[in-house]
Amino acid sequence: MSAQPWAVLTALALLALSGCNGSSGGSTTTTPAPDNGNRALEKAFPLHTSVFGVSIRATSNTDKAKVLHAANVMAQYLDNDENGLADNQAVVDELVKKQATLIMVPTEADLETVGAGLGHRGALQDLYGSEVHPQGSTPGQFDATLEEVLHLITHEGYASVYPQIFGEMAESQIADAMDQARGGRFESIPASYPVGAWYTYDDDSCDYSCMVTEYTYWALTSLLGGQSHSGRLEEIQHEWSLNTPQKVKLGDPAVYTLLTNGEYGLATVLPDGHYDYQTFTLSGD
């Protein structure tokens, strides 16, 4: 997976990021962003498009093809059957209400430079162009778009709309499944995981909420076949060992049952960056 981006933005005094972001435990504000904060964000990230009203913003030096790739991946997560209608409108509405925004820069260093002084108070998730691979994941080059876009959707959308199911706190259904996968309930990273644990996240900057976000990502993308390409298990097994749909079904039946429940409109097909219903364009170029 990519490096923890939230630490960079927290240092720059951006209030909230989705996923495992900062020491605040992924908490965000749902109040509207101040106008001056929005203007600062628009100035720093002038390239813009939106997917069902969810914003994607990028710096002017970000590869435009990669920004559009992110838009297509987001669209496929939110409209997995590609019929032009969101599969879960309540989740989309929550993302829009929170001003959830994917922000893109070429590299982590660029984010540190451009983010200084921003006062935006919406829900942000960053994605580096250097970790975007529109042609698909290959050994040593995982397309992190699949991860960071999903973080934004689950952390800011699903966790809020279904707090008892996808809430990123102890005793939600997804958290209970995660506790089984880790061999116990750990509020922080343990010195070592119990033998038999299959989710062994080891970044000590990640709090419990963050751990749930990452667990959801690992489980869902594995179910969709996104972690099964040649060499991938060797790259991730220190953190996650159920990298194929069959392994998840047999090894983690709790999360399998939850994530395959059609009631929630989660993806059943892995996004490939080719959204058939709409062609996205960028403004601010």
Side-chain angles (χ1 to χ4, degrees), residues 51-52 69 71-82 87 267 269-276 280:
V51 179
F52 295 108
H69 174 69
N72 278 273
V73 169
M74 182 180 290
Q76 290 179 299
Y77 269 131
L78 295 175
D79 173 23
N80 203 232
D81 59 6
E82 304 188 36
D87 298 328
V269 177
L270 185 73
D272 62 4
H274 300 284
Y275 181 59
D276 289 339
F280 292 99

Side-chain angles (χ1 to χ4, degrees), residues 3 16 23 28 31 43 71 74 98 109 114 150 159-160 162 196 199 205 207 240 244 246 254 258 275:
S23 59
T28 62
T31 56
K43 183 177 181 180
M74 182 180 290
K98 287 185 173 181
V114 75
L150 185 60
S160 295
Y162 305 102
Y199 174 48
S205 71
D207 65 10
W240 176 254
T244 69
Q246 189 70 0
L258 183 58
Y275 181 59

